[in-house]
Every structure is written in structure tokens, then in C-alpha cells.
Amino acid sequence: MIAYDADELIRIADKEWAWCMAELLKASREMGFGDDWKAAQEKVKNTYVPEGQQPGLINALYDRAQTFIKEHDLIVIPELADETWE
């Protein structure tokens, strides 16, 4: 059983849809596409690593994360973990 009637569900859906659209526009503007959120989505959709190159990307992201953590002294990474993670 749902604790809402149909009108309440529609109001909630409208509110959530408005939030989603506002976030789409916000991200689109930050990416330099203005209010053309479809073009922004298309750019994101086509930004991917070619097939077979995902492991290289993962290693590069790992290296960047390790460097960031160490430069900003965020956490102590045990030596054994640092040696064996890769």
C-alpha cells in the first residue's frame, strides 16, 4: 500500500521532474552549452574510453587519486596496501 493518493503522487512527480530539469540546465550551462541540455548529454554520452582501453583508464585514475591523497595528506596509506594495490 502507498501512503499517498494519486494527486499527491502527481505533485511529488512534478516537483522531482522540475528539480531534474533544473539540474540538467545547471550542468548544461556549466559545460558551456547554455540551455541546450540535450547537446550537453550528447557530449557526455560520446565521451568514453574506447573498447579495450578501460584498464589503462582505471590505472591512470588510480595514480591520480594516489597522488591527490598523498599531496593533500588526506589519509595514511599503509605501505603494504600501496605496494599491492596495483
Side-chain angles (χ1 to χ4, degrees):
M1 300 299 288
I2 299 176
Y4 304 101
D5 64 24
D7 290 334
E8 289 173 312
L9 288 173
I10 290 171
R11 269 196 307 279
I12 292 168
D14 287 340
K15 177 183 168 192
E16 295 299 322
W17 177 255
W19 180 85
C20 288
M21 291 304 296
E23 291 298 309
L24 276 172
L25 291 172
K26 179 175 147 186
S28 178
R29 291 174 188 141
E30 287 177 8
M31 293 174 67
F33 288 95
D35 288 345
D36 190 1
W37 61 267
K38 288 183 181 182
Q41 277 190 339
E42 194 65 27
K43 177 176 174 33
V44 171
K45 183 176 81 173
N46 292 315
T47 304
Y48 59 91
V49 178
E51 188 175 323
Q53 294 184 16
Q54 291 88 352
L57 173 65
I58 292 167
N59 286 333
L61 291 173
Y62 168 77
D63 291 339
R64 284 177 51 195
Q66 282 282 60
T67 301
F68 183 86
I69 289 169
K70 289 175 182 177
E71 283 178 357
H72 294 86
D73 198 27
L74 297 175
I75 59 173
V76 175
I77 300 171
E79 188 176 325
L80 181 61
D82 197 27
E83 289 175 14
T84 59
W85 177 256
E86 289 185 47

